[in-house]
Amino acid sequence: MRILVAEDHRVLARTIATGLRREAMAVDVAHTGDAAERMCLLTAYDVLVLDRDLPVMSGDEVCRRLRELDDPPRILMLTAAGALSDRVHGLTVLGADDYLPKPFDFAELVARIRALSRRTPTAPLAVLHHGPITLDISRHEARLDGHSLDLTPKEFALLRLLLEAQGEPVPHDDIVRALWDENLSPNTSVVRATLSRLRGKLADPGLITATGLGYRLCD
């Protein structure tokens, strides 16, 4: 899941980004409204966590502009103004998908982001299957031949990406863009390291193979 956090309070932005990365999300950060808009035009984010009080261009204006796109990200607005009228304005007039007043509990922020990411025109399957592998997305459970797999959040996200490809190869750079963020070099070995650990936990290294086009699950 690719997330953009647009927040001018740098400490808060860094705290949110660090916490979301620990939840296996790829997170980029913008500190001004114009930067947030520019990054959304260049990258297909799943969710934009958008502070209303941004410099240069307000969060309200960013929201209005992004709503004119054919495929805008889901927008979760953050603000210190928590009155009912503010929430109604953000959801109905500005077109935000959700609204969270500050201060907020981080667990609630994560839950709302995950809920927004599931609001797609074609809802993803709740349970994915491939040979002996079963992945229950809603329960965040992975099984191999019926036995539970103890996967890290990144390993789970990588396995989900491969399962959703339905046997087609997933390029290395696509994996980096989907599961990590702009701070990670495309030439990094972290993808190979994560794949190596995942192969070990699947107990059959041949289940995931590397091709000239990327990585795929074998039948």
Side-chain angles (χ1 to χ4, degrees):
M1 189 189 311
R2 193 74 183 262
I3 310 295
L4 175 61
V5 175
E7 167 63 61
D8 66 322
H9 192 294
R10 293 178 180 267
V11 174
L12 178 58
R14 184 169 59 250
T15 299
I16 293 174
T18 299
L20 294 180
R21 287 172 184 142
R22 288 172 180 165
E23 295 292 327
M25 300 181 194
V27 185
D28 297 334
V29 176
H31 298 299
T32 63
D34 61 326
E37 182 193 26
R38 183 171 61 253
M39 293 170 73
C40 286
L41 293 176
L42 294 173
T43 302
Y45 291 104
D46 297 296
V47 178
L48 166 61
V49 179
L50 178 65
D51 181 41
R52 288 189 69 179
D53 301 318
L54 290 173
V56 183
M57 182 189 300
S58 71
D60 289 5
E61 183 62 20
V62 173
C63 188
R64 289 193 192 96
R65 291 188 180 210
L66 292 180
R67 280 295 168 230
E68 296 176 359
L69 300 178
D70 292 334
D71 188 21
R74 299 295 178 179
I75 298 176
L76 171 59
M77 296 200 79
L78 301 178
T79 181
L84 176 60
S85 59
D86 293 306
R87 296 198 297 273
V88 170
H89 181 77
L91 294 170
T92 61
V93 178
L94 301 178
D97 296 287
D98 202 354
Y99 194 98
L100 188 60
K102 299 176 181 179
F104 53 83
D105 185 86
F106 185 74
E108 182 179 6
L109 175 65
V110 172
R112 287 174 180 257
I113 289 174
R114 293 196 187 283
L116 285 177
S117 72
R118 293 194 291 267
R119 295 186 197 173
T120 56
T122 55
L125 295 174
V127 180
L128 300 173
H129 301 276
H130 185 95
I133 304 170
T134 301
L135 206 69
D136 189 321
I137 296 171
S138 60
R139 295 176 180 270
H140 204 79
E141 292 178 350
R143 292 184 176 275
L144 181 70
D145 287 324
H147 299 287
S148 179
L149 287 172
D150 183 18
L151 302 182
T152 67
K154 281 295 187 209
E155 291 164 357
F156 186 94
L158 178 54
L159 182 56
R160 175 180 175 177
L161 193 65
L162 294 172
L163 283 165
E164 289 176 336
Q166 299 181 341
E168 293 297 318
V170 182
H172 177 278
D173 288 356
D174 286 0
I175 295 175
V176 172
R177 282 192 292 268
L179 304 185
W180 281 273
D181 53 57
E182 62 184 1
N183 297 313
L184 190 70
S185 167
N187 298 320
T188 182
S189 62
V190 68
V191 173
R192 290 187 291 275
T194 305
L195 278 164
S196 177
R197 292 195 302 271
L198 182 57
R199 284 189 177 110
K201 292 182 180 181
L202 292 176
D204 182 357
L207 277 176
I208 302 176
T209 61
T211 72
L213 298 176
Y215 300 94
R216 62 182 291 270
L217 286 169
C218 294
D219 296 326

